[in-house]
Every structure is written in structure tokens, then in C-alpha cells.
Amino acid sequence: MNTAPTPASSAGPEAPAEPPTPPTPAAPATPAAPEAPEAPAAGHAPDEPRWLTAGEQFVWRSYIEAATLLEDHLDRQLQRDAGMPHVYYGLLVKLAESPRRRLRMTELAKYAKITRSRLSHAVARLEKNGWVRREDCPSDKRGQFAILTEEGYEVLRRTAPGHVNAVRQAVFDRLTPQQQESLGEIMRIVAEGLQPSEAGADLPWLR
């Protein structure tokens, strides 16, 4: 948490208690394909898959393992301390950081990198807890605002210290300042590549 009383978030999508591991883009386990094929040389057939090298597979699998374990770690901490998953905490943080503690639902979905239907479900659960309420947008009959309530802000204030401590212990305490900087740069490059700006891009918050 950077400044009191608005807590910082580690941001991230909601993870299940036992999150599935995405398939690894490695070569299929067939006698004709080596276990860790080398990247194809120039001039290979256009339809030939660009298999990951052994070094690339190590990087990819290390990332998947760390990301899955980290999301589970943060989810369990927040469920234990506040009875909510990680993605819900991120929504509350974003509302707390917004002017008047309110934000258009479309903007909130974009921030959380989730679909509008998933956001609607999350906000409905937060409303049931009394932590968020919705209001119609005066300038757009189809639009709505999500608004952080005083009760929601208090829950956030109580939960933030434990959450920040969990993030620090899991990530920042294990990395040097240089490694932290490199990690931030790498993740930003990956994120930017996955959200193109051209019209018609298939992004979660547009679905």
C-alpha cells in the first residue's frame, strides 16, 4: 500500500482454489518429435510449428508454475482474511483509487482485464456483501457506475496490510532491485503485446 488509507493491489484475475495449468506449447510426445526440439532453421516449411527450445521451455514452464502458485497464494490469503478472491480485492482497490470512489463498469472491466459478464457477477457478489453499489449513468441509459461503499472501504482498509505483506514476501523480498525492474519491464512488454489497439481486437473487456 503506497499511501494510507488507499491500499495498493497486486492486481490479477480471480483464480480458483486449484487453478488449472495451461497446456505447455511443447512438441507432441510422439517418436518422430524430440522431447525438446530446437527452433527451426531459416527456410523451414511454412506450416512447421516453431517448437520451443529447451531453454525457452524452461522459461515458459517456470513462468506458468510461478504465476499459478502466486495467484493461489494471494487468493488463499484474501479468502482467509476477507472472504473474497483476489480479483474482487483488485476491483475494490481500483474503486478506492478513482474519483469519488466510482467508475464506469466498462472501465472497471478494462482495468481488471475480465469480461463484462464476469465483472457483472463479481459486482453482484460485492453488492450482496454491501461493499459496492451500482448507479445508472445519467448520460448513458445503458451505462452504470460501480461505487465503493463506506463498508467496502473499511474492509479494504483492514485487509490491505496483510495483502501487501503477502505480495512482498512472495515476490519483492525474493528479488534484487535490478530483478524487480527487469520483471516489470518484461511483464509490461508481454501485456502490451496481448492488447492490440486496432478496432475489432478480441479483448476480455470488450466481450
Side-chain angles (χ1 to χ4, degrees):
M1 178 159 106
N2 296 326
T3 58
T6 300
S9 170
S10 60
E14 177 183 356
E18 294 182 9
T21 301
T24 302
T30 63
E35 190 170 349
E38 294 295 327
H44 71 287
D47 57 349
E48 175 69 18
R50 296 177 59 217
W51 301 118
L52 300 182
T53 66
E56 289 169 339
Q57 286 197 48
F58 174 80
V59 171
W60 173 246
R61 291 174 178 176
S62 296
Y63 164 75
I64 290 296
E65 181 178 354
T68 303
L69 289 171
L70 178 60
E71 192 62 29
D72 177 70
H73 172 71
L74 297 179
D75 229 30
R76 286 186 292 110
Q77 178 266 317
L78 286 165
Q79 290 283 11
R80 181 181 64 247
D81 292 357
M84 63 176 157
H86 186 209
V87 70
Y88 289 16
Y89 178 86
L91 297 175
L92 297 182
V93 168
K94 185 60 179 176
L95 290 174
E97 294 173 340
S98 301
R100 300 171 60 196
R101 300 179 189 170
R102 63 172 55 206
L103 199 64
R104 289 283 297 268
M105 290 282 285
T106 50
E107 290 300 311
L108 194 55
K110 183 177 181 180
Y111 162 78
K113 305 294 186 287
I114 59 178
T115 62
R116 287 176 286 189
S117 61
R118 187 180 179 190
L119 175 68
S120 181
H121 176 75
V123 170
R125 293 288 299 274
L126 293 170
E127 278 187 302
K128 187 176 181 180
N129 290 343
W131 300 346
V132 168
R133 62 185 174 86
R134 278 184 271 196
E135 283 185 2
D136 292 335
C137 178
S139 60
D140 182 359
K141 292 183 178 180
R142 295 180 301 174
Q144 281 189 319
F145 283 100
I147 304 168
L148 183 66
T149 65
E150 286 298 327
E151 185 179 351
Y153 187 76
E154 180 59 24
V155 168
L156 199 55
R157 187 191 65 78
R158 293 197 311 263
T159 306
H163 180 62
V164 170
N165 186 55
V167 171
R168 184 168 294 284
Q169 288 182 346
V171 180
F172 295 99
D173 288 350
R174 299 174 182 271
L175 303 176
T176 66
Q178 293 76 19
Q179 289 172 330
Q180 293 175 22
E181 184 177 354
S182 295
L183 178 63
E185 292 175 353
I186 291 168
M187 292 297 98
R188 176 48 49 195
I189 290 171
V190 173
E192 288 176 351
L194 291 171
Q195 43 188 349
S197 58
E198 63 264 18
D202 184 16
L203 297 168
W205 57 92
L206 299 178
R207 296 179 207 146

